[in-house]
Amino acid sequence: MLRQVAEGVLVHESEFCQSNAVVVQGRAGVLLIDPGVQDHEMACLANDLSDLGQTVAAGFSTHPDWDHLLWHPRLGAAPRYGTARCAATVRDQLSDPGAKAEITAHLAPTGIADQVPLDLYGLITALPAETAQIPWDGTQVRIIEHQAHAPGHAALFIEERGVLVAGDMLSDVLVPMLDLDDTADPIEDYLAALRLLEGVAGDVDVLVPGHGSVGGADQVHARIVRDRAYVLALREGHVPSDPRVGPSAKPGWEWVSDVHNGQAQRLARRSERDGTPG
Ligand SMILES: [Zn+2]
């Protein structure tokens, strides 16, 4: 079911990890950001759009993680964009002929592996590096690219509507998940990304994270502060007092503590190895 969160901006929530697909109404069709996860959910979204008399004019993937790279045939054949670094990372992934089988295997414990359609997976058109806005016939959608959660990760700021689509940042259920594979200083990268988002925070009325609850204006600053505190605690090797970790985690999200422990351990090994924090 599509839910309006601002004028001309609607959200479709997937069951898996409370993933949010975002629809922005344009002059000739909609922009669809991170369409969702399971086959029936994306089919439901396609139905909702056709009920509204809308077609998809353009797609966008906020970053090159599997749950943001899916597509459904009923969503049509519009160009699907990503940042240049996002698209290059996906191309790299898909150059491995076993990539899709690996995703299916990775999904086995979730029980939804056979519900995740991979035929149209990752067919992303690279936007030229430094592209400032999504090229489409609709309201301005500013691309705020940063190196934090994944290579070429982009938040989108729909300025006229006061909506920030945060990708896998600023979630109320997921802690910041650092990109520990691709960058020299993942902690500093993450802090820099939060500063970038902070730069627009004052103009944001509605915050849509890739996973979790849609937040109002009051949530934007609060989530930035909480994510920064979490990342700083990681850097210092402290146990963060964070409601998303430990016994205060929301039911169904207990596994976030494992994510936290995993990245804390990897960071500790990293700093032991090269004597630098992070
Ligand atoms: Zn995600």
Side-chain angles (χ1 to χ4, degrees):
M1 195 190 65
L2 276 169
R3 182 164 69 93
Q4 174 153 323
V5 296
E7 192 198 330
V9 183
L10 305 107
V11 169
H12 193 269
E13 191 185 297
S14 294
E15 205 181 302
F16 176 81
C17 279
Q18 216 180 327
S19 304
N20 293 312
V22 180
V23 167
V24 188
Q25 280 172 334
R27 280 178 280 274
V30 305
L31 167 66
L32 175 56
I33 305 159
D34 294 350
V37 178
Q38 300 185 66
D39 190 82
H40 67 273
E41 292 166 341
M42 286 188 281
C44 168
L45 172 55
N47 281 338
D48 290 351
L49 289 174
S50 84
D51 288 351
L52 292 173
Q54 298 282 344
T55 55
V56 178
F60 187 83
S61 284
T62 55
H63 63 287
D65 283 349
W66 72 269
D67 52 326
H68 301 262
L69 296 170
L70 298 160
W71 198 259
H72 194 282
R74 291 204 36 222
L75 296 171
R80 295 158 56 189
Y81 300 114
T83 64
R85 291 188 65 164
C86 170
T89 304
V90 179
R91 210 178 314 121
D92 207 45
Q93 262 178 41
L94 288 175
S95 67
D96 173 357
K100 289 183 182 179
E102 230 170 80
I103 295 169
T104 305
H106 165 80
L107 285 174
T110 64
I112 62 162
D114 59 345
Q115 294 298 317
V116 178
L118 295 176
D119 287 348
L120 300 174
Y121 177 86
L123 302 177
I124 301 298
T125 300
L127 292 171
E130 317 286 322
T131 301
Q133 283 171 24
I134 294 193
W136 80 303
D137 189 11
T139 184
Q140 273 188 19
V141 179
R142 198 198 301 176
I143 299 171
I144 306 177
E145 183 179 351
H146 45 268
Q147 306 308 321
H149 167 68
H153 190 283
L156 298 176
F157 182 39
I158 309 160
E159 202 158 2
E160 258 177 66
R161 313 279 188 240
V163 177
L164 179 66
V165 179
D168 280 5
M169 311 273 292
L170 309 186
S171 170
D172 59 327
V173 281
L174 286 174
V175 291
M177 295 195 284
L178 276 54
D179 181 3
L180 297 173
D181 296 316
D182 305 288
T183 84
D185 193 346
I187 295 266
E188 187 40 52
D189 286 348
Y190 211 99
L191 294 171
L194 290 174
R195 286 194 293 273
L196 270 181
L197 298 182
E198 199 166 35
V200 299
D203 297 317
V204 175
D205 301 317
V206 179
L207 164 67
V208 186
H211 307 279
S213 316
V214 173
D218 58 318
Q219 279 290 303
V220 185
H221 192 63
R223 292 192 193 181
I224 290 172
V225 167
R226 187 159 72 190
D227 280 358
R228 183 178 290 134
Y230 174 87
V231 173
L232 290 173
L234 261 190
R235 182 170 74 185
E236 305 305 329
H238 294 156
V239 179
S241 63
D242 190 300
R244 299 167 290 187
V245 172
S248 53
K250 274 197 189 167
W253 293 89
E254 293 82 3
W255 56 273
V256 174
S257 294
D258 299 332
V259 169
H260 161 66
N261 291 329
Q263 60 185 2
Q265 279 162 17
R266 285 188 63 191
L267 281 164
R269 278 202 298 276
R270 245 176 118 110
S271 58
E272 247 169 56
R273 194 185 59 218
D274 40 47
T276 57

